[in-house]
């Protein structure tokens, strides 16, 4: 019998959840040694399909073949036994364990009941050297960057001798530099004979790294194409079902009065003795999108935490519409006129075990419209939630009563954006607003951010996506090591120039900044 050209075949897979057909007769075939991208909108069924392959879900219909032989995968342990590994979109790591302990957890080598940690360390170190995955094996996971955590997840797969590697949205939380490194690592893995399934909706990355692309739309299979023979425009049309504008159209800004002023702000660092934010000052005005750009870990997170009240300041002053809010509570800032799309949607954006409708009124349930003498008017909450779901195309299995945790990452993000934009506040603080979203949703959110600006709001945008920074902003401030090292007009600066400032290779002199 001839050897099958495919290492994995998923044939006619159907997976149903309450109220939704997540996969509807989907077929995907993975060749040996190829990088095969799985592309689709948020909620198109990509993660569900891969979770079926990894044994987290059981399909209602369809068969899975490994090397041409039909297999049954009832659990992740079955998948591991078949040498299938998966890096999940939201990492499955234990924060308080060391990197090494996380890698060997569940695949421990023991002798007479004792852990053979020395041998494990040698094997992990050898893998780390071979694939260029440098991580500190002794560090605790909670102390390392997101990019490093991802390397830990990859080492976890390699430690288990996996041949088929599934990457679920691996770049959603990475900086441009870390994305480059990951692409390099993926090419190296494929060259070694590993077969990779790569879930993404970032067209640049798919064009750069994949050999073939399979497109899903609303749970259905649309087609498989050779990457070399397609284009970004064609892929986005297959994915969304209509042509998509890849460039933001906007009129020049008409800045008005100052909405927020930050003066000499200092914020302590949790990791180091020095301050994470060191004397930052700027103003954001009504009717402009001011973008703070920089490589992750240069103080942007702490700056936003201080502005939004998630973190205490170590010095300096924050003024919103002329009122000092430096020590105000989060609720006070919210009522003063600040809406916030947070960086970490799970930690600060949603209460995952609440329903979608409860999450959509989190900041407004105390308003007259939604309560009567202290009792919540559930009919009004439901009505309001349904309006937002329709307006912002938030897709979920059971509408307003869907538990937030069960929604896809992109739809969780849409829910937060719907809630914050609809509050109609003078200041919108948007941190990575399009992280984890597909091209169709990104197009809508970019339009919405421009509409907020044109309605006279001040938009403070923090983004790691250089395309987004260049496309959306009216002014750009670059942060490096906790300081603002340059201010730019996006029409007069190149991506390369910005990159130099972001990497600390250049900074504007005092005379230029004045």
């Amino acid at each position: 019998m001839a050897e099958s050209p495919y290492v994995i075949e998923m044939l006619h897979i159907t997976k149903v959840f309450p109220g939704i057909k997540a996969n509807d007769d989907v077929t995907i075939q993975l060749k040996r040694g190829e990088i095969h991208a799985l592309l689709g909108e948020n909620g198109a069924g990509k993660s569900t399909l891969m979770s079926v392959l990894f044994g987290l879900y059981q399909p209602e219909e369809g068969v899975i073949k490994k090397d041409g032989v039909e297999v049954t995968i009832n659990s992740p342990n079955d998948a591991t036994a078949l040498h299938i590994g998966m890096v999940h979109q939201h990492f499955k790591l234990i924060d308080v364990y060391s990197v090494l302990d996380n890698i060997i957890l569940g695949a421990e080598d023991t002798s007479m009941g004792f852990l053979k940690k020395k041998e494990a360390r040698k094997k992990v170190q050898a893998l780390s050297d071979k694939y260029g995955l440098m991580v500190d094996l002794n560090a605790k996971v909670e102390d390392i960057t997101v990019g490093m955590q991802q390397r830990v997840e990859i080492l976890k797969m390699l430690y288990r001798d996996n041949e088929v590697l599934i990457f679920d949205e691996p770049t959603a939380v990475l900086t441009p530099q870390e994305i480059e490194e990951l692409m390099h690592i993926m090419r190296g893995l494929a060259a070694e004979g590993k077969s990779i399934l790569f879930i993404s909706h970032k067209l640049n990355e798919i064009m750069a790294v994949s050999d073939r692309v399979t497109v899903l739309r609303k749970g259905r299979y649309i087609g498989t194409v050779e990457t070399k023979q397609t284009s970004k425009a064609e892929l986005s049309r297959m994915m969304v079902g209509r042509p998509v504008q890849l460039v933001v159209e906007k009129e020049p800004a008409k800045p008005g009065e100052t909405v927020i002023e930050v003066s000499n702000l200092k914020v302590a660092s949790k990791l180091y003795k020095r301050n994470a934010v060191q004397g930052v000052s700027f103003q954001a005005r009504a009717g402009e999108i001011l973008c703070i750009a920089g490589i992750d870990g240069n103080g942007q997170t702490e700056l936003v935490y201080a502005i939004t009240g998630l973190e205490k300041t170590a010095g300096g002053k924050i003024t919103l519409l002329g009122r000092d809010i430096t020590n105000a509570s989060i609720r006070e800032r919210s009522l003063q006129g600040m809406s916030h799309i947070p960086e970490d949607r799970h930690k600060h954006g949603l209460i995952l075990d609440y329903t979608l409708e409860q999450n959509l009124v989190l900041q407004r349930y105390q308003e007259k419209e939604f309560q009567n003498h202290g009792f919540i008017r559930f009919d009004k909450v439901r009505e309001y939630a349904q309006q937002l779901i329709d307006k912002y195309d938030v897709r979920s299995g059971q509408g307003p009563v869907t538990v937030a945790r069960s929604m896809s990452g992109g739809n969780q993000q849409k829910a937060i954006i719907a809630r914050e934009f609809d509050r109609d506040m003078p200041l919108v603080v948007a941190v990575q607003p399009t992280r984890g979203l597909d091209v169709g949703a990104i197009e809508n959110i970019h339009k919405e951010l421009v509409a907020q600006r044109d309605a006279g709001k001040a938009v403070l945008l923090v983004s790691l996506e250089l395309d987004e920074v260049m496309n959306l902003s009216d002014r750009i401030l670059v942060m490096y090591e906790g300081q603002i090292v340059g201010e730019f007009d996006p029409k007069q600066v190149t991506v390369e120039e910005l990159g130099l400032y972001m990497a600390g290779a250049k900074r504007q002199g005092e005379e230029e900044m004045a």
Side-chain angles (χ1 to χ4, degrees):
M1 183 180 140
E3 193 182 30
S4 167
Y6 299 113
V7 61
I8 291 288
E9 294 173 86
M10 300 184 77
L11 307 171
H12 307 293
I13 301 290
T14 295
K15 177 68 200 156
V16 181
F17 293 112
I20 197 163
K21 227 181 200 183
N23 295 140
D24 186 357
D25 190 21
V26 175
T27 292
I28 184 169
Q29 294 170 308
L30 174 67
K31 292 178 181 171
R32 263 186 198 74
E34 81 165 338
I35 299 178
H36 193 121
L38 189 56
L39 175 68
E41 290 182 283
N42 303 119
K46 309 180 297 289
S47 296
T48 303
L49 188 66
M50 290 302 101
S51 295
V52 166
L53 179 57
F54 193 57
L56 290 166
Y57 298 140
Q58 305 311 309
E60 272 69 36
E61 289 169 33
V63 295
I64 299 172
K65 289 183 178 181
K66 169 100 197 297
D67 298 321
V69 179
E70 193 172 326
V71 291
T72 304
I73 305 176
N74 288 321
S75 72
N77 288 343
D78 291 351
T80 304
L82 291 165
H83 302 294
I84 298 169
M86 182 165 179
V87 174
H88 299 267
Q89 185 176 357
H90 299 289
F91 304 143
K92 311 278 188 200
L93 296 172
I94 297 173
D95 281 355
V96 295
Y97 277 19
S98 72
V99 165
L100 181 64
D101 288 343
N102 265 287
I103 291 168
I104 64 178
L105 186 65
E108 298 90 344
D109 204 359
T110 56
S111 171
M112 320 231 333
F114 290 96
L115 195 55
K116 289 160 78 174
K117 220 166 184 178
K118 241 188 200 144
E119 283 88 333
R121 180 180 289 273
K122 265 192 205 142
K123 180 175 173 182
V124 173
Q125 197 57 60
L127 287 167
S128 165
D129 296 343
K130 180 175 178 181
Y131 293 106
L133 291 159
M134 300 307 159
V135 282
D136 178 354
L137 297 182
N138 300 320
K140 279 192 177 169
V141 163
E142 63 189 356
D143 294 333
I144 61 176
T145 65
V146 177
M148 287 295 168
Q149 289 179 30
Q150 185 161 58
R151 291 177 175 205
V152 176
E153 285 276 22
I154 296 169
L155 279 167
K156 227 163 89 177
M157 289 201 292
L158 297 173
Y159 183 76
R160 287 156 179 71
D161 301 323
N162 289 325
E163 301 160 8
V164 176
L165 312 179
I166 305 166
F167 288 87
D168 185 359
E169 297 284 358
T171 61
V173 289
L174 299 187
T175 64
Q177 285 75 3
E178 287 169 335
I179 290 170
E180 273 303 309
E181 282 167 25
L182 177 68
M183 298 287 166
H184 183 68
I185 290 162
M186 283 168 72
R187 287 189 199 100
L189 291 167
E192 289 281 337
K194 308 280 185 198
S195 309
I196 297 176
L197 280 160
F198 167 47
I199 302 180
S200 180
H201 40 235
K202 292 191 179 174
L203 299 171
N204 291 347
E205 292 162 15
I206 283 179
M207 296 301 285
V209 83
S210 68
D211 300 303
R212 291 192 302 150
V213 187
T214 291
V215 181
L216 299 184
R217 184 160 81 233
K218 294 187 178 168
R220 298 195 75 112
Y221 172 81
I222 300 298
T224 301
V225 291
E226 298 275 339
T227 309
K228 286 190 178 71
Q229 292 165 9
T230 188
S231 65
K232 285 199 287 192
E234 172 64 17
L235 285 176
S236 56
R237 195 189 55 70
M238 284 173 77
M239 171 173 152
V240 185
R242 62 176 172 82
V244 176
Q245 263 185 307
L246 299 170
V247 179
V248 182
E249 286 184 358
K250 63 186 191 1
E251 298 290 312
K254 302 181 182 69
E257 63 188 46
T258 297
V259 173
I260 186 167
E261 181 164 7
V262 172
S263 311
N264 197 22
L265 193 66
K266 298 183 180 75
V267 187
S269 166
K270 286 192 170 156
L271 281 181
Y272 308 105
K273 289 203 167 67
R274 59 181 167 76
N275 283 336
V277 178
Q278 304 175 26
V280 164
S281 300
F282 65 85
Q283 298 176 336
R285 299 177 299 233
E288 75 166 344
I289 297 176
L290 174 64
C291 181
I292 294 177
I295 295 167
D296 206 8
N298 278 282
Q300 308 95 308
T301 298
E302 290 83 355
L303 174 66
V304 169
Y305 280 7
I307 289 170
T308 55
L310 289 167
E311 196 82 59
K312 291 253 183 294
T313 60
K317 186 176 176 186
I318 307 164
T319 316
L320 180 61
L321 296 170
R323 295 184 64 167
D324 184 348
I325 58 160
T326 317
N327 299 311
S329 69
I330 295 175
R331 165 64 64 86
E332 283 166 356
R333 289 171 207 236
S334 178
L335 295 174
Q336 285 293 317
M338 182 186 297
S339 62
H340 176 210
I341 298 161
E343 180 174 19
D344 188 329
R345 56 181 169 238
H346 284 181
K347 211 186 251 178
H348 300 130
L350 297 164
I351 299 176
L352 291 171
D353 293 316
Y354 277 17
T355 61
L356 178 52
E357 63 185 2
Q358 288 169 327
N359 274 290
L360 289 173
V361 292
L362 272 183
Q363 275 132 314
R364 302 189 60 175
Y365 63 85
Q366 77 282 9
E367 293 176 13
K368 280 199 169 64
E369 186 187 339
F370 300 114
Q371 56 105 359
N372 187 13
H373 300 301
F375 290 95
I376 289 179
R377 300 174 64 184
F378 292 106
D379 54 336
K380 290 293 179 197
V381 170
R382 171 91 26 109
E383 203 176 293
Y384 174 68
Q386 195 57 59
Q387 282 169 9
L388 289 192
I389 288 167
D390 294 342
K391 184 176 174 187
Y392 290 90
D393 188 26
V394 183
R395 295 181 196 173
S396 62
Q398 294 159 288
V401 297
T402 309
V403 174
R405 187 184 294 283
S406 70
M407 292 161 59
S408 75
N411 282 298
Q412 291 174 347
Q413 185 74 356
K414 284 187 194 174
I416 295 168
I417 283 165
R419 178 184 71 210
E420 297 303 321
F421 281 173
D422 203 68
R423 289 174 53 230
D424 197 22
M425 293 294 172
L427 173 67
V428 178
V429 180
V431 190
Q432 302 280 29
T434 57
R435 171 181 279 180
L437 295 180
D438 60 68
V439 283
I442 289 173
E443 178 192 33
N444 290 338
I445 281 154
H446 283 174
K447 278 183 181 160
E448 194 60 51
L449 282 165
V450 172
Q452 295 278 325
R453 177 202 81 164
D454 292 345
K457 317 284 174 65
V459 179
L460 181 62
L461 172 70
V462 179
S463 179
L464 301 173
E465 301 275 349
L466 277 178
D467 287 356
E468 183 163 80
V469 171
M470 296 298 279
N471 248 323
L472 266 184
S473 49
D474 300 309
R475 276 194 302 143
I476 302 169
L477 300 176
V478 175
M479 262 187 104
Y480 176 70
E481 292 193 340
Q483 297 176 324
I484 304 277
V485 294
E487 177 175 329
F488 303 95
D489 178 341
K491 293 189 207 67
Q492 293 168 357
V493 70
T494 63
V495 169
E496 291 70 27
E497 178 85 350
L498 272 186
L500 289 172
Y501 281 87
M502 285 163 70
K506 286 179 90 168
R507 63 170 62 211
Q508 286 176 344
E510 301 304 316
E511 69 288 345
E512 287 178 70
M513 294 285 284

